[in-house]
Amino acid sequence: MFLCSHFILTQPVTFLVKHQQRCQEMEFAELIKTPRVDGVVLRRPFLPTVEGTLCLTGHHLILSSRQDNTEELWLLHANIDAIEKRFVGSLGTIIVKCKDLRVIQLDIPGMEECLNIASSIEVLSTLDSVSLMYPFFYRPMFQVIEDGWKSFLPEDAFKDLESMTEEWRLSDVNKDYSVCSSYPPLVAVPKDVDDDTLRKAAAFRHGGRFPVLSYYHKKNGMVMMRSGQPLTGTNGRRCKEDEKLINATLRAGKRGYIIDTRTVSVAQQAKARGGGFESEANYPQWRRIHKAIERSSILQESLIKLVEACNDQSHSMDRWLSKLEASNWQTHVKEILTTACLAAQCIDREGASVLVHGTEGTDSTLQVTSLAQIILDPACRTIQGFQALVEREWLQAGHPFQQRCSQSAYSNSKPRCEAPVFLLFLDCVWQILRQFPCSFQFSQHFLVLLFEHTYASQFGTFMGNSASERSKLNLSQKTVSLWSWVNRPQEVERLSNPLYEANCLVIWPSVAPQSLLLWEGVFLRWKRSSRCLDEAYDEMVHIIQYNNKELQNKVNNLRRQLAQLETEEPLLQTP
Amino acid sequence: MDHVEQVRLLERFSNKSTSGTLHLTATHLIFVESNNTATTILHHHIASVEKLSLTTSGCPLVIQCRNFRVVHFVVQRERDCHDIYSSLLRLLRPVSYDELYAFSYNPKQNEQQREEGWQLIDLGAEFERMGVPCDRWQLTDVNRDYKICETYPRDLYVPITASKPIIVGSSKFRSKGRFPVLTYFYQEKKAAVCRCSQPLSGFSARCLEDESMLQAISKANHNSRFVYVMDTRPKLNAMANRAAGKGYENEDNYSNIRFQFVGIENIHVMRTSLQKLLEVVGSRFLSVNDYLLGLESCGWLRHVKAVVDAAIFLTKAVTVEGASVLVHCSDGWDRTAQVCSLGALLMDPYYRTIKGFMVLIEKDWISFGHKFADRCDQLDGDPKEVSPVFTQFLECVWQLTEQFPQAFEFSEWLLLQIHEHVHSCQYGNFLANNQRRREELQLGDRTHSLWAFLLREQQNYLNPAYCPTYADTHPVLEPSTLPCHFKFWRNMYHQFDRSMHPRQSVLKNVLTLKESNCQLEDTIKDLETVSTCIKSNFICHIQMVSRYPVLTTSACLAFPTDPVLTTSRTVEGSSGTERKESYSDLQGTYGAKAEPAVVSLEFGVARMTC
């Protein structure tokens, strides 16, 4: 498929290899004991085997058959999740398991070469130093039309808000990241609340994440806010400023909903560790609803189990279904979608404002707020709008991408903070896309692309854990933004959904288990020959484009010509 | 009593309901809502009617249909409810074929059209297409008068070397006289797929004629020294049958066979399995885990996979090894029909076209005596004979269409429509249990053919991704047998549960566009002709004037607004035009509560608590 497309580009291999080798000489020379092995055989499911030369560079594993027009393998070391070694005589085999869930096999002649290659890959794929990561070395081989780092500035987003309401202001209380380390420098807050109140409210919220605006529902002026949990502790501490802040978002006599993404018992337990939830007594105008989105460590376990189930070679139906069930993945999808629907329902149907939080407010909270916007706001269903949403609700909002995505489903090392929080969000978007296949400007390719780039990328977009870390790394100067790549016309076209017709309505997905499907595009992607499905998809695209472009144009042209001929005709007859 | 007013129809998976009037006609149950939309249910489709205990709002009546529609009415007065209930019970149980809808159904066709409809499919021509008769296979007239086997068709194909005494002897040794006959001929390797019923071998009986019969089948194929005998039953079942004087072939007696069990369960297991499946997916507020555990424990997908696996085995033996295969189960009309027809579908691209698929069903199911009347419960009969064997076959085909989206000319809508009419008894094709009975009933003279109806509106059943050249590169399909590629067929088992489906249908959209492409192409052709005419000055004014308005109207039709399908069923969500309506559906469901003190918000099947 398009697995390596963004690595290969159109440049000759030699150029890239030279470029790579320069890097390698500098930082990686001692890590690469054997940079080149000939006669390596690459085996991939459903693709012909390739024999060729294997090259290791500082950031890539490259296999080239050194013949024209043959496919080459370019694999980022960062994409490698785990490797396994096997030996039969002097023939070594390395099984490479990637973060994008692909599994490939390399047969390497020579035991020493094989061992060297394996140990180099192991080291290179787990480098801890951020400054050695590929985005800092990557030079774009395409023309940057629009710098993605400047595409979605908070100031611009706020201009849109200003055109709709005057009740909000942009505060720079966090300009040096001192109030909240995971927030961006600029946040939208109620106009009547001053920065001092914000600072005090921040002290009362987990990680300093005081309630900020997430979404303004133009239709009825209701809002969705997000925050960290309140630090009530066991004594039931309260904070007048926090109460003032969120009450400022309510219209006179109106109530709001607080959606706590944790179950009541989990929220209760949080009190012992200084956290907690908003009590009825102190927040009488708010009604609290508890939901059950799992903590990130449980999600990681779920991903591992799901991928294991998908890779199971057993032909037993019962085994597959029970493993799928035991992974609980679909349950998480349903739970997250349901909570997002609930938030959207409170806003759109009940006409109430909503505050969403879990514990930290950087994981389940963002899943809910971003999905609710997909449901409510047609703008989020466009290619640009979806990027803006990811930028606003995930990157700026401080989802710790680097921590969450440093390992995927195969890694043998003990998970630290890894969790497929963003992947679950993408899965939920895919579920909605499946149910409303004409309401999204993008196809599932875009979602798969984002999944790949969150785990391994040549772009700097998903590096770091927060806006403050990204600014310290000076990513906007030193790396290329993924959005610069995506927003080129040819890429936009590739990611476009040919069936798209703007739909300004709120889209309510079904969350019945029968309506939720396993996302084959990610989890079964390498489990079958995708060619025939791709061809069917291409055929569909062809039918649509043939209609829209060629035929319609032709008809219009002919009509025009005909009209012209008609007006000319009398002239022809009257000379 | 012909109608009852103020009846409420409860939606299956939400708390929504609509009220209207319930009408009962001789053939249909019709519910007309206040906004005049009607839900029509054919009496033949009703599998069961249940009167639940009286509630404060009225008397509930639950109707389960064979096409998986479940409707829940609440009738205000108990007496009305009882009247409907007892009338339905009476109408539900036709005791003779003459009462079936097919004999009264009149689609406003003249006699000639009706007759032509019955002539659309010609099995003699189908065997000719396969290359039979040939130098090794011939048509035999032994069953001309249904004397040898009354559940087989009149025309049967056997090896040239199988003489009449061999046939007669073999048929006496086979359950219900269903001796081995040809059902598919793989011309490329001259390998045959034959079918029969189990041998009456008991623990030790043998029959020389039957052995000669298998010998003849083997000899008719020079590629292979042996014939595969596929017993599609689990070994245990086959062994148990021996006690009743039936059983399976003993490899010691048949020198030239390779015997193989493939383990598809019997009709009773399948019936229970589907019942369980429907129970699971029919429950409200179903959790994902209960859904998946239910899918597992009901075993339905396991059974579906077993049938596909068997068909793959058959296909490999024939196409790769070039061996002939004899398939049987107990009577040779359920599992055997499934495996033979599915195998042929994998081997021969013709059966993946609309017409070819009809031929396939006509051949392996209708003519070879799958007991549609018993299995589909057409007449009031033995409930133990009812089983979703044919439904399961359709599902296997659907699973294949999912794996090979370009290989089939038809979409799942054709499968759903066929399923609908297998149970509707509206057309004559599927009535009765075998050809002999059909002839007695003179179905060809008294009823209409479904195939004619389907072919007339075949543009509705086209698969837009179908690629006719796919057959050149993939004459034989090799499906994956990994369990993750078998999916729950929501559009079949929830076809009437709107809220479950995507709100927009890719299939429908692309189909509409494809149709519009054809119209645009025509328009272009017309416009081009006109413009060349004008250019060459050949045209006189009168012609111009008369043609041009026609052209503009046809060009306006570029995007037809009418929905392509006119059936009331929601197959895959709603079309663009229906979209608004379905949102308002939802609006009703989540209507704001007046008093939010006791918040019980609801979304889909999820329940939120405060």
Side-chain angles (χ1 to χ4, degrees), chain A residues 38-49:
Chain A
D38 289 322
V40 174
V41 177
L42 165 70
R43 297 176 202 279
R44 290 169 293 184
F46 305 106
L47 290 171
T49 52

Side-chain angles (χ1 to χ4, degrees), chain A residues 246-425:
Chain A
I246 69 165
N247 287 337
T249 64
L250 292 179
R251 302 237 167 107
K254 280 283 222 172
R255 283 176 183 236
Y257 290 95
I258 293 174
I259 297 178
D260 193 325
T261 61
R262 306 163 294 180
T263 59
V264 184
S265 63
V266 174
Q268 285 282 5
Q269 285 158 19
K271 282 184 173 175
R273 290 186 299 275
F277 51 84
E278 296 82 355
S279 66
E280 285 80 5
N282 299 338
Y283 297 85
Q285 287 165 281
W286 294 83
R287 190 148 293 280
R288 211 177 58 247
I289 304 175
H290 286 275
K291 295 300 295 168
I293 302 182
E294 287 292 355
R295 282 172 296 124
S296 48
S297 57
I298 289 178
L299 301 182
Q300 181 70 7
E301 209 177 298
S302 169
L303 175 68
I304 292 169
K305 281 190 188 159
L306 173 68
V307 172
E308 204 214 301
C310 293
N311 285 339
D312 194 324
Q313 290 301 308
S314 147
H315 284 257
S316 151
M317 181 60 74
D318 291 0
R319 192 178 154 107
W320 157 248
L321 287 171
S322 74
K323 282 190 143 191
L324 184 63
E325 187 269 333
S327 80
N328 280 325
W329 183 266
Q330 296 294 87
T331 302
H332 300 316
V333 169
K334 179 176 154 82
E335 210 51 66
I336 294 164
L337 263 180
T338 307
T339 313
C341 289
L342 172 71
Q345 187 192 343
C346 291
I347 294 168
D348 189 67
R349 295 268 186 268
E350 304 278 317
S353 285
V354 173
L355 169 67
V356 184
H357 71 72
T359 306
E360 291 95 348
T362 55
D363 295 294
S364 58
T365 306
L366 305 183
Q367 288 171 331
V368 174
T369 57
S370 53
L371 282 168
Q373 293 180 53
I374 297 269
I375 293 164
L376 293 170
D377 185 3
C380 295
R381 299 173 218 144
T382 65
I383 294 182
Q384 280 273 335
F386 192 69
Q387 292 170 41
L389 180 76
V390 170
E391 186 72 37
R392 211 170 57 230
E393 289 298 306
W394 290 89
L395 291 160
Q396 298 291 324
H399 176 66
F401 275 103
Q402 196 163 314
Q403 285 178 3
R404 296 284 179 259
C405 301
S406 69
Q407 290 172 18
S408 157
Y410 297 121
S411 178
N412 300 318
S413 41
K414 203 167 161 265
R416 290 156 298 185
C417 309
E418 288 76 10
V421 177
F422 188 70
L423 175 57
L424 269 164
F425 158 71

Side-chain angles (χ1 to χ4, degrees), chain A residues 287 315 318 322 325 328 331 338 435-439 505 507 509 514-515 535 543 546-547 552 559 562, chain B residues 281 289 296 302 305 406 481 487 490 494 500 503-504 509 516-517 521 548 555 559 583 599 603 606:
Chain A
R287 190 148 293 280
H315 284 257
D318 291 0
S322 74
E325 187 269 333
N328 280 325
T331 302
T338 307
Q435 295 187 27
F436 296 88
C438 307
S439 302
L505 298 168
I507 53 176
Q514 296 96 313
S515 306
E535 279 170 6
I543 292 170
Y546 182 51
N547 184 289
Q552 301 274 359
R559 285 238 191 82
L562 211 61
Chain B
V281 299
N289 294 61
E296 184 198 336
R302 173 160 44 89
K305 183 170 140 51
Q406 289 179 286
T481 58
K487 292 177 277 189
R490 189 185 53 212
H494 283 301
M500 293 265 173
R503 298 282 153 169
Q504 298 164 331
N509 261 293
S516 119
N517 282 357
E521 274 166 355
Y548 198 64
F559 285 100
Y583 286 138
V599 178
F603 192 86

